[in-house]
Amino acid sequence: MFILPTWNRPEKLKAFFAAAKETNMTSPGVVFLQGKDQLEKYEDVLKNLPSNWICFVGETNIGLVSATNWVISQFKNETWYGMLCDDMLPKTQNWDTRLIKLAKDWNFVSCWDDSVNAHWRATGIMVLGGRLARTTGFILPPCCWHICGDDWWQVVGKSLSIWKVAADVAIESGMDREGSDADETQQSAHRDFSIELVKYHRWLSQYGADVIERLRVMLQAHGALSDSTVGKFVVSEAA
């Protein structure tokens, strides 16, 4: 299932679902609307969600990290979990099934984020194997409000050779919009940026390293740990 938190971006969420329809998205998902005060402005897009999508409404804006991790706590036995943001526009036909096919129990896959700063990052649309997510205990590091999820999965993916990039699955995202181009949602996402970075690196050294070790042992126990470095760029299969 896909997880899509949103706050103060009804038009962008509507644009995502329009692009998803044009690119033949068929997979189920959850919209997490961050705040009951957002219901009126989101009314139009929420009543037109795909039939296999549902919506949860939180009391207030709790940030991307907490919203995403809360949703997986409610759906603990999924085969896979996908991460979406409300400023993404998928470009490739059948992008969802292409990514899902690449996401096995113990790995994760990202797509080609067509933005200046994201070509090398674990960003854009991501899909994680269900066993990987459950062993980790979260999708995004619980120490932060919004940032550092990509940093975390890059470390994990490269350390354990479990990261695949579907080089032929492309999206457009709002990652590069900064300064006067950044909307209120992005400004909220990047608030206290330096402090959040410190929190993440402290967490990584205190707790994150233990999570990586747990993953290594579980991968080894299930025959999923490679004994050599594995290239991450792959071509997906057509649906």
Side-chain angles (χ1 to χ4, degrees), residues 72-172:
I72 70 164
S73 75
Q74 305 303 301
F75 297 88
K76 297 180 179 180
N77 297 304
E78 300 298 310
T79 305
W80 56 270
Y81 297 92
M83 228 191 101
L84 295 166
C85 292
D86 54 13
D87 62 350
M88 293 178 177
L89 293 174
K91 298 293 186 182
T92 303
Q93 286 293 313
N94 305 309
W95 55 271
D96 57 328
T97 53
R98 286 173 177 262
L99 294 176
I100 292 164
K101 283 181 180 180
L102 289 171
K104 309 304 182 185
D105 283 344
W106 295 103
N107 77 336
F108 70 95
V109 57
S110 61
C111 67
W112 189 257
D113 187 335
D114 193 18
S115 58
V116 174
N117 293 318
H119 286 166
W120 58 276
R121 298 183 70 84
T123 186
I125 301 169
M126 285 181 53
V127 179
L128 295 83
R131 298 189 79 175
L132 174 67
R134 283 185 286 277
T135 301
T136 305
F138 53 83
I139 289 183
L140 298 175
C143 53
C144 291
W145 166 265
H146 179 98
I147 65 171
C148 293
D150 45 10
D151 300 87
W152 162 252
W153 286 113
Q154 282 157 205
V155 169
V156 173
K158 290 179 179 179
S159 298
L160 302 175
S161 290
I162 58 171
W163 174 18
K164 296 181 184 299
V165 178
D168 57 342
V169 177
I171 69 160
E172 175 186 329

Side-chain angles (χ1 to χ4, degrees), residues 186-226:
Q186 187 164 352
Q187 291 172 20
S188 170
H190 290 176
R191 68 188 193 185
D192 303 325
F193 197 89
S194 296
I195 295 172
E196 291 288 290
L197 280 177
V198 170
K199 287 163 58 178
Y200 167 70
H201 286 289
R202 181 179 297 140
W203 173 88
L204 182 62
S205 63
Q206 291 180 332
Y207 303 107
D210 291 336
V211 177
I212 294 174
E213 175 63 7
R214 181 167 73 242
L215 285 171
R216 186 193 65 78
V217 170
M218 291 297 289
L219 284 162
Q220 188 172 37
H222 289 85
L225 184 66
S226 174

Side-chain angles (χ1 to χ4, degrees), residues 223-239:
L225 184 66
S226 174
D227 59 3
S228 61
T229 301
V230 178
K232 66 182 180 180
F233 291 99
V234 297
V235 177
S236 65
E237 296 180 16

Side-chain angles (χ1 to χ4, degrees), residues 25-42:
M25 180 189 77
T26 57
S27 303
V30 172
V31 170
F32 187 99
L33 180 59
Q34 303 232 49
K36 291 182 177 179
D37 61 326
Q38 301 282 306
L39 272 169
E40 184 176 354
K41 66 176 73 173
Y42 275 87

